[in-house]
Amino acid sequence: MEMTSTSKQPQKFIYNFGAGKADGNAKMKGILGGKGANLAEMSSLGLPVPPGFTISTEICTAFYKNNKSLPEYVKAGVLGSLQIVEKEIGKKFGDSNNPLLVSVRSGARASMPGMMDTILNLGLNDETVEGLAKNSQNPRFAWDSYRRFIQMYSNVVLGMNHSLLEISLEDLKDSKGYKQDTDLSVEDLKALVKDYKQQISQELGRQFPSDPYEQLWGAITAVFLSWHTPRAKTYRQLHDIPEEWGTAVNVQSMVFGNLGEDSATGVAFTRDPSTGEKRVYGEFLINAQGEDVVAGLRTPQAISKLAAQGSGMISLEEAMPECYFQLLEIQKKLESHYRDMQDIEFTIEKGRLWMLQTRNGKRTAKAALKIACQLMDEKLISEQEALLRLDPLSLNQLLHPTLDPKSKKTVLAKGLPASPGAACGAIVFTSEAAEEKKEKGIKTILTRIETSPEDIHGMVAAEGILTTRGGMTSHAAVVARGMGKSCVAGCGEIEINYQKGEMKVGGQIFREGDIITLDGSTGEVFLGKVETVEPELSGDFDRIMKIADKYRRLKVRTNADTPLDSTVARRFGAEGIGLCRTEHMFFDPDRIDIVRQMIMAETEEERKVALAQLLPIQRKDFFEIFKVMEGYPVTIRLLDPPLHEFLPHEEKDQRELSDRINISLEKLKSRILSLHEFNPMLGHRGCRLAITYPEIYEMQVRAIAEAVCEIVKSGKTLIPEIMIPLVATQKELEILRNQAEAVIQAVQAERKTSFDYLIGTMIELPRAAATADEIAEYADFFSFGTNDLTQTALGISRDDASKFLSAYVNAGIFEKDPFVTIDKAGVGKFVKMGVEFGRKTKQQLKVGICGEHGGDPSSIDFFENVDLDYVSCSPYRVPIARLAAAQAALQRKGSIQ
Amino acid sequence: MEMTSTSKQPQKFIYNFGAGKADGNAKMKGILGGKGANLAEMSSLGLPVPPGFTISTEICTAFYKNNKSLPEYVKAGVLGSLQIVEKEIGKKFGDSNNPLLVSVRSGARASMPGMMDTILNLGLNDETVEGLAKNSQNPRFAWDSYRRFIQMYSNVVLGMNHSLLEISLEDLKDSKGYKQDTDLSVEDLKALVKDYKQQISQELGRQFPSDPYEQLWGAITAVFLSWHTPRAKTYRQLHDIPEEWGTAVNVQSMVFGNLGEDSATGVAFTRDPSTGEKRVYGEFLINAQGEDVVAGLRTPQAISKLAAQGSGMISLEEAMPECYFQLLEIQKKLESHYRDMQDIEFTIEKGRLWMLQTRNGKRTAKAALKIACQLMDEKLISEQEALLRLDPLSLNQLLHPTLDPKSKKTVLAKGLPASPGAACGAIVFTSEAAEEKKEKGIKTILTRIETSPEDIHGMVAAEGILTTRGGMTSHAAVVARGMGKSCVAGCGEIEINYQKGEMKVGGQIFREGDIITLDGSTGEVFLGKVETVEPELSGDFDRIMKIADKYRRLKVRTNADTPLDSTVARRFGAEGIGLCRTEHMFFDPDRIDIVRQMIMAETEEERKVALAQLLPIQRKDFFEIFKVMEGYPVTIRLLDPPLHEFLPHEEKDQRELSDRINISLEKLKSRILSLHEFNPMLGHRGCRLAITYPEIYEMQVRAIAEAVCEIVKSGKTLIPEIMIPLVATQKELEILRNQAEAVIQAVQAERKTSFDYLIGTMIELPRAAATADEIAEYADFFSFGTNDLTQTALGISRDDASKFLSAYVNAGIFEKDPFVTIDKAGVGKFVKMGVEFGRKTKQQLKVGICGEHGGDPSSIDFFENVDLDYVSCSPYRVPIARLAAAQAALQRKGSIQ
């Protein structure tokens, strides 16, 4: 952000607002920030807004370019705008008789609650405080405001340690025997102000600024500087807010809710943010300032009579009925103006209602769906708008069991929220233990340093998966998401010791059988059992999904390897399978040993014997999946991982296997050694296996073809899409396509059954993307394997990236984890290249994506824009993808009516 | 090759030749094959060539398309051409009075000696043999020719086991008490013919074809079929001859060197093929057929009187002076026509000289240089032509010690010719042993399953390196080539057992201290000591190199990490360093422990302490290299490998290290474990190290800058080029460039010395190539790291590729090992993309390549055509690159005068 040249003065950079008129409006969030834009909009709507002005976000940039100091033209502009405010409100800044006090607040384009600085009551000094006392007829209020201002300013602007002044206050209270701040008398407060100023000059070596203008420049500077505090940076990273947006500064005349029993302050939502119900929802406090509502020292009162019933407290409706009905009117006006549920802040000063803020209210996924449906029914928004209002990722909340919010929780550790949903069970450290316990009806959490394909059966048996290593796209995370199972990954605070059969976290030791609970949506691990609640899919959900389907162009398929996954995905609306991984089938305990015999075979003959045993098993696998997906396309990826993944790594397991399949341990070990690879990701896998051992794919293609024959004979239809992985060259695909077609033709002849089929390839290597025109000659379809494409294009191993990826995101090198959201500028180029080159050769080439990005809304938006035909994602991501695809299509058309 | 459709008949597909005229010429090798084209050319030159015709290579393709049978139009064409031959020579095919006999030979575009089939004396049967006997007045000759023909034809065309007829011949000789074939009488031969024919009909169930035309179709078919024998295929793979070229067939009237004492046959080179000397060089036999010269039963005689002196044998010059002088004339004519040294075959039939073949003669590298220089001096060829005649790779023969050809050798095993040169020494299995022995003055061969960077000091100490695993670009191979040290890699026949301290090969066991010899140019491993001869660089070499420098556009730099490498490279003409790898410096025994302390550091402070110790050492490294390269650019790559490569892998070494650097073994192991990576190639390395540990590069940049200051202070100039590896994004380079510049500016200020420098990056990831326009904004130069670019673009780990790479080359998926010759259609696209995008941003961007491909002639040709500025290769490759770069430039211009 820091640059050396000074930029030119912008044409307009300060925007006044006040009752009835404003220079800006709600659409100008980019330069006014959210708060400033809405204050302007409310002013224009004629709502009672305390007058003020907004210094634009461009000045934030100018400020940093100007060596972190305010350019002179900004000061001049501020003085001019201040005069307008003075005129409007009839007070004068720094005037000792009738002083104007202002608040100075940050306001970024996106809300960053609590992240940045605010100064209230600015403009007070030893003279103006007397004016305030006189005008308010409340000297105690005036001096208390002054005291608070000094405290806040010295901390926020002068950078003084907060607690120093706090101690003075506490000392004074102690010496007088006071319990509460409100016990302080005017004289006490005056003494305190004197004491504060003394301490400040001692501590900082300079006087507290008594000039209101000096105060003002200091406060504006402080707000700009607060854009670059570490906590603000962290927040932005977490919420994908670009550094260069900058913040605006809002300078607004103060109104006071603490001027007596006819004053109050409160917050309200125009609809219930947790259920979406249409009712007044909010809280207020009489004789209080905004911060008191937040601070929680006093219990706020409900706004409506209905909501206050039984609380023993008076509602706003009863206490100040006039203001209440005015508020209702304003709410209605705001909702019909903004056409969305609003979150508002208000203050009542001596019986007069002032609006301090309005913005679209945050809400739960459930409420979001309901509100969207209501607003459509109320004709406030169109279907398209309803879709665009929703956050696809928030649907996760609805699809998985969640922790009961009423339960008490003790957090043990926090990892990555790798697969959403809550899960509770006994710790187990091995997949075998998970299976054993499952048989006895005991729920478990499979707790591993990391998982490997050998753990699939344990992951199936467990309720949730916890790993101490690996990222959002580690094996555990990917497989768990596929299964819709809760997973917390890469939880580095936990140390697992397999030998001792224990895990250590925060000094505590846990053993097999101890109960823990995971929240896969937050990454939290809890001690003991936390109750969970099952998801309930509302009518609103179905309605929104149907509307989404109406507007999307992209088809949504699923990545599913089992009939169960397929069934879940169909229920969520999947339109076929985009990726059926056959290796997971190989790991099933009833066949893994046959697979291993195949690998250990020394001749093609021996290998064929083992493969012949696998054939009927695979055929059944495919048949069962085909039955579920009848009528839809099913893309089956032929064997992909390197063979060593199927052999056991532990000496003990090797010994057992050696006994079971009657092959000497020495031979087994030597084979494992010979299969060892330095970089398995770039090794002997994918179609390379089939070039060296053609019989493996031949068996798989035969199993597919025979299964389709059975489907066809039962009068149903299914078009299998056979997908060949890791193709880098045209020739590979040519050879393997010919091989596969020969097998299919043989099966069709044997069984006297014919069926249509497609043969295509994954585009997951940069070379494949760059030569997609050649490859397309032998492909009926392309499916982008963006996981591997990301690994190879960026040269980053997914399994090893955790060592530097967070540093990369922190340094701004990657905007987001490229394994979660596609790196559009880099990997995206290869996807685009692949699509364009492929369609150059074959205009009608079917093109999809089956990497993890297929379920990520931001990536889906990209895939829409490069004209893919479909995305494929894990079953629980299907609804998210449906909605995201609809949004992408709408955004592309720019067709919001 | 086998396709289903039949292609159209070509317009012309048979080309006649004979004395004084021909349908074809020497330029038509593509369709006439080498032999056919040269027979045509010689005919046109008016040389005495037995008339005949060539069936074009297109017919080979047509033959295979026609289900491996001769299309009818081919037969018709052959009959027509045969009539022309009959007319010219005055004999008739199949005529019992005056029969025309022909030879049928293959002739591919490139020479494939001994690979394909030949049939002589075709046209003989029980009737025509009598005509031949009569005309030659030599019945014994006629029947012997008939007997030989049947033997050859039954083997080559009918596929009969050769030895069956051999046995009959031997039986007959035994029963008659004959010693030699020449003892057989006419009656014996007649009986033998009868016996042969009987055996053939018994064995094959059909009569030997007596119809000359049937014989002819069979022979032509056999030649076409021989294109696809396994040995021919293997030969083509080894010599990069495309399958689709096909072979031509030459049908030519027979002439006989075995018709008496006035007949002879011989071969000759127009200059000495092993030294290049200008003198008649050849051998002949009186009263013999061509095959007798080759068979070696009789000792051939020298052609010139001078050469025959002392042999006790008569020269051609003396025996048939007329023919001798005619031959000299023809040689002169051929040389000045072909403008190259010729390898010719001739036959003298009854005092008349016939030319059977001419082609450019094969020669040693030394002879090639000398002949090129001579031909230039004789004004036969231009400088450009001289350059284009030479095979750059053959220069390897001149640069390294070679085995004394006079020594006796016993081959133990054969691996890959990974780094040329001969080496002899005692087997050692560890780098430590190599060093110990070196100190005692004992030469060693470092013999390892594979080498790792830890072995560098052992490789330095050893004479040669032998590994049992890994390919042409394995660690051992790459480092050995860099050092110019002999290396045989991936010698799978040898089994090493480190525990037992022995290696096994072919049942023999060898232990440490046993002597072996390596030939790194052939991959052979020999038993015991084989004498070697040192290379001697001739004046011809220098002259050619200077001419090459005149014509090349590409600069040639070297990859060198030490002053020694740099000195060697300078001697070979390197124009700077294109890649100085700093990690090899880290492995030096006197500093590796400091590096390890740096890695084990737990805080930035600790790390900085270790780095401070490394600083003066690195500064000295750079200073020494800079001194050698003074005035030339030196590109230094900052640290690249993942840190775990610097830590010991063996428990024993870990224990020792733990004692040495006083860090607990547990802690050491735990660090090693935490640094472990699944895919180190795609791991935490290159610039990623510097993003997480900026202090490492800061130290290196400081060392470079300080060393340059010292050079500058001594009044010399050096422009360092600092190269940041593994950049994938603009931001990485931006951050690290800024960091490096800050350090340089600090050093310049401290030392009050200024110097110019460049900061650039490697383009070795597909993403970097695809976003080179962005990256170029922060780069002064690009250097393509085509090793890693190949790994990532193709998704193939160099270290693991051996498992399938040969299958890939065999299946025609890769033309050549893509780690040896750049994959132009794939990886090449990324190089092109990188150059174009980079120069779009910065027109003057300096672009080079420092991968292994920088020393490969075919790759250099590609780099010339995509406008790189320089190539960089290992020191011993520099002359090869200079020549290849000149050839590439000439070929690009098409400027052969």
Side-chain angles (χ1 to χ4, degrees), chain A residues 87 253 381 411 419 479 613 744 787 846:
Chain A
K87 216 163 151 187
S253 48
I381 60 173
V411 176
S419 178
V479 175
Q613 285 180 274
I744 292 172
N787 294 355
K846 197 194 264 197

Side-chain angles (χ1 to χ4, degrees), chain A residues 674 676-682 688 729 732 767 770 793-797 800 803 808 813 823 829-830, chain B residues 674 676-682 688 729 732 765 767 770 793-797 800 803 808 813 823 829-830:
Chain A
S674 81
H676 169 263
E677 293 183 312
F678 296 98
N679 297 292
M681 161 66 209
L682 309 174
R688 296 163 195 171
T729 69
E732 288 168 319
R767 192 193 194 279
L794 270 61
I796 294 181
S797 162
D800 302 308
K803 294 192 178 84
Y808 261 55
I813 296 169
D823 158 36
K829 272 201 180 175
F830 293 104
Chain B
S674 82
H676 169 262
E677 294 184 311
F678 295 99
N679 298 292
M681 161 63 209
L682 308 175
R688 294 163 196 171
T729 69
E732 288 168 318
L765 295 174
R767 192 193 193 279
L794 272 61
I796 294 180
S797 162
D800 302 309
K803 296 194 175 81
Y808 262 55
I813 296 169
D823 158 35
K829 272 202 180 177
F830 293 105

Side-chain angles (χ1 to χ4, degrees), chain A residues 513-524:
Chain A
D514 292 344
I515 304 292
I516 54 172
T517 301
L518 307 181
D519 186 342
S521 312
T522 63
E524 285 164 313

Side-chain angles (χ1 to χ4, degrees), chain B residues 563-720:
Chain B
L564 183 66
D565 285 356
S566 308
T567 309
V568 171
R570 281 289 304 126
R571 191 152 46 87
F572 285 142
E575 300 161 293
I577 291 181
L579 176 63
C580 174
R581 282 165 292 226
T582 52
E583 57 268 23
H584 290 174
M585 300 174 183
F586 277 29
F587 275 106
D588 224 88
D590 67 339
R591 56 190 85 164
I592 179 72
D593 281 355
I594 310 178
V595 174
R596 288 163 173 169
Q597 270 164 332
M598 187 264 289
I599 296 169
M600 290 301 297
E602 291 188 335
T603 63
E604 193 183 316
E605 279 321 300
E606 271 179 56
R607 205 155 39 236
K608 283 188 170 170
V609 169
L611 287 166
Q613 284 181 273
L614 285 173
L615 176 66
I617 305 176
Q618 281 249 301
R619 183 174 55 222
K620 186 157 178 296
D621 290 335
F622 294 132
F623 180 72
E624 298 296 333
I625 290 172
F626 291 167
K627 271 204 306 199
V628 177
M629 283 291 163
E630 194 246 308
Y632 287 98
V634 175
T635 308
I636 298 146
R637 179 175 73 185
L638 301 183
L639 195 68
D640 186 48
L643 296 182
H644 52 76
E645 278 199 10
F646 297 98
L647 295 178
H649 305 123
E650 305 288 332
E651 165 100 22
K652 179 175 149 283
D653 298 336
Q654 292 172 358
R655 205 175 288 281
E656 285 172 12
L657 176 64
S658 149
D659 290 345
R660 272 205 312 280
I661 64 173
N662 200 18
I663 285 179
S664 79
L665 185 60
E666 194 184 1
K667 209 164 140 188
L668 186 62
K669 283 185 163 177
S670 128
R671 180 76 175 136
I672 291 170
L673 190 68
S674 82
L675 287 175
H676 169 262
E677 294 184 311
F678 295 99
N679 298 292
M681 161 63 209
L682 308 175
H684 192 185
R685 49 171 287 235
C687 69
R688 294 163 196 171
L689 288 173
I691 296 289
T692 50
Y693 307 117
E695 50 281 1
I696 299 178
Y697 279 14
E698 279 167 5
M699 179 282 283
Q700 294 198 298
V701 172
R702 175 167 281 274
I704 294 166
E706 291 182 353
V708 177
C709 284
E710 286 177 29
I711 291 284
V712 169
K713 284 203 170 158
S714 72
K716 294 174 176 171
T717 60
L718 196 126
I719 300 182

Side-chain angles (χ1 to χ4, degrees), chain B residues 122-135:
Chain B
L122 188 139
L124 282 174
N125 57 24
D126 294 350
E127 285 84 46
T128 56
V129 70
E130 296 295 356
L132 181 65
K134 197 181 66 191
N135 281 340

